[in-house]
């Protein structure tokens, strides 16, 4: 057999997980190669710098969640934030600013929401969340159901036919559904956790999250092979793993492989393994939830909303996660980013661009009845569910899954020769900083997997030396 490359480690995927693993292997001088199918690095961290030039817009991740010194992305952000180059929005790094002052909170038709209505609906929500917590803490895995089905009767009892309250309560639900990128009817009730969002600090990366990953790759001088789609991994030989790519050249041979492709790709079996993956791994892949979050980015000739505001939160009159949340980028960019998640996000992916834009502009006209919504001058619509190198946005707890599912997703296969990383494999480290589904989760999982590979390779070479 002719061989193209012979290295110790192949990392499949150059998203946050693959990049983090590459940094660790590079530091320890372990010979490795990163194979990335796209023509760019970053995966689901992707900053579009062309469509709205000079304004960068993130099509994937845009917030550093749990922003703080313990987050591995924090120091990378700190290094970049002062460079003039990235400060196009003149954001003044508004870390201390009160978010509520920058929020437009309105009803589906643009009317303000009365304090009384808000208070009533918050009280009902608190009761519903307490009900869910009770369920979660008193039920074992075998009794897991969807949040929707567990909450149904209590929701009907408390909300009844009060239509205005219903809209506001649904609004709080949409907050969670958009964050999880899935609807309540897919999410595990046993995994319910009421999160006090006021204590969580998230940082919007105004210069584009992709800038951070690009900079990391440059800083560490990582060499990454782009446009290289891995198709087949053969582990039948006990010494060598043989990897075939879509490029019609020689296979790549290695001793360890680290798979960091998205859970959506694993579900679709876009890489074939020979022999096939063990059943426990395939079951974990099938069971774990993988949600969809999309963005509809629209640029207007004028800013028809209050230019001092950064977010619009509005109650729903249609599927509750549709455009529930809108990010406003300040003039002169005049850009609005509308979010849609879950089943509705998949449904909207089947529409044409012009149909989607029409839906979005009608929605905007409805919430700004006093203003004239001008024509869209530039736009970008993400379709992460259709993206064949992702098939979705990020993972969550589907009904019947738990930390053990993540542990199985992270567990090595093929006698510890295949390693697994990615946002869906970040094992709960019992800190208040633990996350899954985020960029830092992917990053941490890559670091963990690289360390484990290094230890293995080191102990193999020690054993060999002992025999010499
Ligand atoms: C719309 C959206 C908004 C989000 N918002 C946030 C946010 O604000 N904050 C946050 O922290 N997280 C957010 N996330 C989630 C975050 O982007 C991901 O959790 C994280 O980037 C995943 O990194 P990863 O390395 O696990 O996977 P990826 O970034 O997907 O990297 C995997 C790589 O594998 C490549 N690949 C796939 N198949 C093959 C193959 N066969 N051969 C070779 N290469 C292959 C892919 O092209 C990709 O580059 C968001 C995601 C989306 C989609």
């Amino acid at each position: 057999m002719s061989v193209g490359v012979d290295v110790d480690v192949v990392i499949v995927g150059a998203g946050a997980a693959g990049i983090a693993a590459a940094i660790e292997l590079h530091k320890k001088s372990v010979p490795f190669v990163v194979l990335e199918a796209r023509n760019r690095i970053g995966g689901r961290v992707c900053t579009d710098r062309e469509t709205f030039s000079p304004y960068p817009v993130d099509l994937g991740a845009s917030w550093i969640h749990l922003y703080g010194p313990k987050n591995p992305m924090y120091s990378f952000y700190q290094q970049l934030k002062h460079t003039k180059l990235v400060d196009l929005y003149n954001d003044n790094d508004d870390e201390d600013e009160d978010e509520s002052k920058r929020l437009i909170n309105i009803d589906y038709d643009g009317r303000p929401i009365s304090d009384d209505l808000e208070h009533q609906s918050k009280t009902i929500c608190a009761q519903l969340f307490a009900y869910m917590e009770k369920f979660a803490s008193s039920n074992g895995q075998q009794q897991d159901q969807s949040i929707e089905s567990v909450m149904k009767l209590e929701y009907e009892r408390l909300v009844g036919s009060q239509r205005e309250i219903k809209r506001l309560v649904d609004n709080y639900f949409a907050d969670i559904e958009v964050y999880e990128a899935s609807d309540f009817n897919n999410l595990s009730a046993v995994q319910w956790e009421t999160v006090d969002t006021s204590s969580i600090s998230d940082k919007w990366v105004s210069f584009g999250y992709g800038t951070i990953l690009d900079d990391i790759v440059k800083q560490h001088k990582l060499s990454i092979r782009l446009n290289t789609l891995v198709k087949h991994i053969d582990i039948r030989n006990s010494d060598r793993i043989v990897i075939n790519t879509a490029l019609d050249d020689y296979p790549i041979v290695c001793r360890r492989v680290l798979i960091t492709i998205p859970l959506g790709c694993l579900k679709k079996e876009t890489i074939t393994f020979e022999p096939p993956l063990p059943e426990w791994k395939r079951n974990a892949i099938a069971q774990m939830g993988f949600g969809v979050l999309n963005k509809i980015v629209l640029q207007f000739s004028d800013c028809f909303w209050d230019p001092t505001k950064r977010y619009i939160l509005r109650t729903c009159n249609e599927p509750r996660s549709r455009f529930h949340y809108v990010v406003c980028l300040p003039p002169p960019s005049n850009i609005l980013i509308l979010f849609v998640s879950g089943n509705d996000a998949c449904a909207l992916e089947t529409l044409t661009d012009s149909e989607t834009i029409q839906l979005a502009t009608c929605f905007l006209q409805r919430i700004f009845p006093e203003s004239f919504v001008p024509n869209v001058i530039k736009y970008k619509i993400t379709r992460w569910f259709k993206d064949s190198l992702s098939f979705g946005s990020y993972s969550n707890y589907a009904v019947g899954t738990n930390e053990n599912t993540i542990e199985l997703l992270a567990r090595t296969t093929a006698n510890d020769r295949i390693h697994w990383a990615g946002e869906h494999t970040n094992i709960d480290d019992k800190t208040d900083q633990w996350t899954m589904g985020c960029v830092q989760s992917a990053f941490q999982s890559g670091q963990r997997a690289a360390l484990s590979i290094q230890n293995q390779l080191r102990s193999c070479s020690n054993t060999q030396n002992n025999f010499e």
Side-chain angles (χ1 to χ4, degrees):
M1 180 183 66
S2 304
V3 167
V5 183
D6 191 343
V7 281
D8 275 357
V9 186
V10 166
I11 299 173
V12 185
I19 291 171
I23 294 172
E24 295 304 313
L25 296 181
H26 183 69
K27 276 190 211 156
K28 296 284 167 0
S29 306
V30 177
F32 72 92
V33 60
V34 185
L35 307 178
E36 168 55 53
R38 297 184 199 266
N39 61 2
R40 59 168 181 84
I41 61 123
R44 283 167 277 168
V45 179
C46 168
T47 302
D48 180 343
R49 296 186 186 83
E50 274 143 37
T51 311
F52 309 97
S53 174
Y55 308 107
V57 171
D58 278 317
L59 305 178
S62 42
W63 282 275
I64 302 177
H65 294 305
L66 294 181
Y67 178 74
K70 287 186 192 153
N71 185 325
M73 308 320 290
Y74 176 84
S75 59
F76 295 123
Y77 175 85
Q78 291 288 324
Q79 284 167 31
L80 273 176
K81 76 170 187 181
H82 295 303
T83 60
K84 283 269 176 295
L85 192 72
V86 296
D87 197 14
L88 274 167
Y89 289 112
N90 193 19
D91 210 12
N92 291 331
D93 202 32
D94 35 51
E95 262 154 62
D96 302 324
E97 202 173 325
D98 178 2
E99 281 242 317
S100 62
K101 281 195 204 138
R102 303 171 357 127
L103 181 75
I104 304 177
N105 193 4
I106 42 178
D107 214 336
Y108 74 101
D109 53 4
R111 279 179 301 140
I113 292 164
S114 79
D115 289 349
D116 183 42
L117 211 57
E118 182 133 23
H119 176 74
Q120 284 182 55
S121 55
K122 268 194 180 150
T123 310
I124 290 180
C125 257
Q127 285 172 278
L128 286 170
F129 290 1
Y131 181 80
M132 288 308 300
E133 265 184 51
K134 201 163 157 213
F135 177 89
S137 56
S138 61
N139 280 272
Q141 184 58 32
Q142 66 282 6
Q143 285 149 311
D144 199 6
Q145 298 171 46
S146 71
I147 294 176
E148 184 86 27
S149 62
V150 170
M151 202 187 261
K152 193 170 187 292
L153 289 180
E154 193 64 0
Y155 175 84
E156 279 164 12
R157 187 179 75 81
L158 291 170
V159 175
S161 56
Q162 309 172 80
R163 290 177 59 180
E164 294 200 314
I165 297 274
K166 178 180 175 339
R167 267 207 315 282
L168 263 84
V169 170
D170 282 3
N171 212 37
Y172 294 114
F173 292 174
D175 278 347
I176 302 171
E177 291 181 323
V178 173
Y179 194 81
E180 297 293 341
S182 277
D183 302 351
F184 275 0
N185 58 8
N186 292 319
L187 293 169
S188 158
V190 166
Q191 296 303 324
W192 176 276
E193 225 177 312
T194 306
V195 179
D196 175 12
T197 46
S198 62
S199 63
I200 295 179
S201 139
D202 286 344
K203 166 58 74 187
W204 172 265
V205 186
S206 60
F207 49 80
Y209 213 146
T211 313
I212 299 184
L213 291 194
D214 286 347
D215 193 65
I216 294 174
V217 169
K218 256 190 232 137
Q219 256 185 51
H220 292 87
K221 300 192 177 69
L222 300 178
S223 121
I224 292 169
R225 283 191 178 196
L226 300 176
N227 303 308
T228 311
L229 177 79
V230 170
K231 296 198 80 164
H232 188 259
I233 299 183
D234 186 342
I235 32 184
R236 286 173 301 171
N237 182 314
S238 57
D239 295 331
R240 285 286 180 247
I241 300 169
V242 182
I243 297 180
N244 283 93
T245 70
L247 299 175
D248 219 6
D249 57 5
Y250 300 119
I252 296 167
V253 164
C254 62
R255 295 164 72 196
R256 296 289 181 275
V257 59
L258 173 60
I259 310 286
T260 75
I261 68 173
L263 181 62
C265 297
L266 296 174
K267 284 179 185 287
K268 295 266 186 191
E269 300 182 13
T270 56
I271 297 180
T272 49
F273 292 87
E274 203 165 343
L277 296 174
E279 202 180 340
W280 57 263
K281 180 68 95 179
R282 282 185 282 133
N283 285 344
I285 290 170
Q287 285 162 2
M288 193 72 191
F290 198 57
V292 181
L293 179 71
N294 275 323
K295 297 180 180 180
I296 293 140
V297 189
L298 305 176
Q299 186 176 38
F300 297 91
S301 47
D302 297 310
C303 177
F304 56 90
W305 58 95
D306 177 347
T308 63
K309 303 291 184 185
R310 289 296 163 85
Y311 308 100
I312 301 170
L313 201 62
R314 59 102 213 175
T315 73
C316 48
N317 201 28
E318 51 236 327
R320 65 186 174 217
S321 75
R322 184 183 299 175
F323 314 148
H324 158 71
Y325 190 69
V326 180
V327 170
C328 317
L329 301 186
S333 71
N334 302 333
I335 291 172
L336 292 179
I337 305 173
L338 287 71
F339 286 70
V340 55
S341 74
N343 295 339
D344 197 42
C346 297
L348 291 199
E349 286 199 17
T350 63
L351 302 184
T352 62
D353 285 3
S354 53
E355 286 167 338
T356 312
I357 291 168
Q358 205 193 346
L359 262 188
T361 45
C362 286
F363 156 78
L364 291 169
Q365 190 62 78
R366 208 161 48 241
I367 61 168
F368 291 108
E370 314 277 285
S371 312
F372 169 71
V373 176
N375 281 340
V376 169
I377 51 173
K378 285 177 190 162
Y379 71 91
K380 188 86 186 186
I381 299 167
T382 69
R383 292 187 175 86
W384 287 101
F385 183 59
K386 278 194 181 163
D387 182 326
S388 65
L389 295 171
S390 191
F391 291 114
S393 300
Y394 48 88
S395 58
N396 54 42
Y397 284 124
V399 178
T401 61
N402 53 30
E403 282 175 16
N404 190 38
T405 320
I406 301 183
E407 196 276 316
L408 293 172
L409 289 169
R411 196 184 286 176
T412 56
T413 50
N415 289 331
D416 292 341
R417 292 190 302 148
I418 304 192
H419 292 246
W420 303 83
E423 53 84 11
H424 53 283
T425 68
N426 198 29
I427 302 162
D428 188 349
D429 60 3
K430 306 291 171 211
T431 65
D432 58 357
Q433 289 288 308
W434 178 77
T435 55
M436 69 165 162
C438 303
V439 179
Q440 75 271 17
S441 336
F443 202 86
Q444 284 162 338
S445 76
Q447 291 175 317
R448 182 246 321 135
L451 198 69
S452 152
I453 292 174
Q454 275 167 41
N455 289 339
Q456 269 184 10
L457 293 177
R458 198 180 308 124
S459 70
C460 286
S461 66
N462 287 345
T463 320
Q464 268 172 9
N465 289 342
N466 289 342
F467 284 109
E468 276 165 10

